[in-house]
Structures are given as structure tokens and as C-alpha cells.
Amino acid sequence: MSYMLVYSANVVIPVEVEIPYLRVVIEEKLMFICKKRMDAVYHGQLYQNKMASAFNKRVKPRQFALGQLALKKIFPYQEEAKGKFAPNWQGPYMVHRVLSGGALILAEMD
């Protein structure tokens, strides 16, 4: 018990390593599963980074200034979307404030 508290590992005698006891077999399987899980996480992060960079290639950054006029896109799930022949944009709006990350606070023209 004190060995585990000091070294944070269980004691394994050499005989247990030569003769595969259940504890050694289970430990090996858990280590294998942990490695596979970490590989899957790494692969998922790599895939997400590739998809983000592929998407961001097509994004055209635009700089807005105070007082500039802008249109606001109407997305299909918004209440303003009235159907197939409805306009896709609302506005014009005046840029009231520019926030970090490209976010805008828009104000009505009046």
C-alpha cells in the first residue's frame, strides 16, 4: 500500500510478468485502449483544423468603419424569412460600433 502512495503504481513481481496474471493482462489492455483513445482525439483535432483552414480560405475579411452603411443577411431560420421570393438582405444599417473579432453593432438609419 505504501509503495502505491509513493510511486503511484502497483507492485508487480517478476513472476507476474512472466506468467500473465489477470491484473497484468488488464493493465496492458487498458494501456492499449488509452493509446487508441488518444490517437482518435489527435486525429479528430487534426481533421477539425484541416476543415477550419479549408473554410477560412474562402472567407474574405472586410474592415468596417463607424458610420459606414451595411446590409444584414436574413438567415432561413429567422422570422423575417418569408419564403423563396423574399429578399435575402435587410437594411441598410449604419455601423454604430466595431467589436473585436469582426463583430458589428448596427443602428437603424433613423
Side-chain angles (χ1 to χ4, degrees):
M1 181 70 170
S2 61
Y3 184 86
M4 184 174 172
L5 292 174
V6 174
Y7 298 106
S8 67
N10 289 331
V11 178
V12 179
I13 58 176
V15 175
E16 286 184 348
V17 175
E18 291 177 10
I19 303 170
Y21 283 117
L22 183 61
R23 181 173 65 167
V24 175
V25 172
I26 288 174
E27 253 182 61
E28 287 177 3
K29 284 183 182 179
L30 289 176
M31 292 296 285
F32 180 73
I33 290 171
C34 184
K35 183 182 179 308
K36 287 293 187 184
R37 184 179 297 137
M38 291 305 294
D39 288 345
V41 167
Y42 175 73
H43 181 70
Q45 289 174 346
L46 187 67
Y47 178 75
Q48 284 181 345
N49 289 340
K50 283 183 181 179
M51 292 302 290
S53 65
F55 175 78
N56 289 336
K57 275 190 221 175
R58 290 181 255 145
V59 174
K60 296 177 185 174
R62 298 196 176 150
Q63 301 295 326
F64 290 94
L66 295 177
Q68 189 176 1
L69 297 179
L71 296 174
K72 184 172 91 171
K73 178 151 176 63
I74 301 173
F75 292 101
Y77 52 83
Q78 291 177 322
E79 293 178 14
E80 293 88 10
K82 300 291 185 202
K84 180 172 166 177
F85 299 108
N88 295 329
W89 301 93
Q90 275 182 338
Y93 292 97
M94 187 175 293
V95 176
H96 180 68
R97 214 163 99 195
V98 179
L99 303 175
S100 62
L104 302 173
I105 295 180
L106 302 175
E108 297 280 338
M109 288 297 290
D110 47 323

